[in-house]
Amino acid sequence: MAWSMSFEYDAPNDVVTAHFIDCVLSTEEDVLRWRREVEGHLARYAGSGKVDLLINLEGLVVRFTAGRVFGRERREVLERFTHRSYRFGGDEMTRMFVLTSGAINGAAVNHYATRDDALAALKAEREALRQRGSPFGGGFAGSKA
């Protein structure tokens, strides 16, 4: 299969889910391509605000040679386009880079076994923020969360 990614909006849960197919990041050029494509997709959903994002790591492979660059670019994309992000699935090497880059670059890790687990954690965070009166309880501006 060829490199592809898709993003879908789950209206009842007010969250965008990212899916990847054969997105193998081996070089800095691969990472920069990944970033451009992810930003293009997220810009359609975020508009002038930010989204809540679930990331299916299946199909996204981060090789050792791209790990450091991926960590930096991942953090910048998430800061620009998301309120919060949660991950699920993925191979062991990619999960390791997500965990390591999160620690090094101060990016969220939030990794779960399944989409349902990741969504439940996201909803729990929203509820905790709502109870504290935070304006970031929902995903999109004006959403019901």
Side-chain angles (χ1 to χ4, degrees):
M1 295 191 97
W3 167 306
S4 69
M5 59 181 73
S6 63
F7 290 66
E8 61 186 280
Y9 177 57
D10 173 356
N13 292 301
D14 193 20
V15 66
V16 174
T17 303
H19 300 277
F20 302 94
I21 298 174
D22 290 335
C23 291
V24 179
L25 309 181
S26 299
T27 65
E28 181 174 358
E29 291 77 24
D30 295 336
V31 174
L32 296 177
R33 174 185 176 192
W34 172 87
R35 179 180 178 157
R36 282 189 309 273
E37 291 184 27
V38 168
E39 285 179 330
H41 285 283
L42 289 177
R44 284 185 269 163
Y45 292 105
S48 61
K50 294 182 176 187
V51 301
D52 284 345
L53 181 65
L54 297 178
I55 304 166
N56 182 354
L57 292 177
E58 295 295 329
L60 177 65
V61 177
V62 181
R63 301 277 190 231
F64 179 79
T65 52
R68 185 174 299 268
V69 175
F70 173 73
R72 181 188 68 231
E73 299 299 319
R74 172 182 92 93
R75 185 198 76 229
E76 291 176 8
V77 168
L78 294 177
E79 285 177 355
R80 182 173 174 199
F81 290 99
T82 68
H83 286 298
R84 62 193 65 79
S85 61
Y86 287 79
R87 287 140 211 71
F88 61 97
D91 69 34
E92 188 174 336
M93 179 71 77
T94 299
R95 287 192 315 268
M96 181 195 70
F97 278 118
V98 168
L99 293 168
T100 303
S101 71
I104 291 170
N105 295 298
V109 175
N110 302 328
H111 185 271
Y112 295 86
T114 68
R115 182 184 187 279
D116 288 343
D117 293 341
L119 181 59
L122 183 145
K123 287 178 164 182
E125 181 181 347
R126 283 180 181 166
E127 180 58 20
L129 290 170
R130 187 192 64 74
Q131 288 179 5
R132 288 194 306 253
S134 170
F136 300 110
F140 294 118
S143 67
K144 296 177 249 166

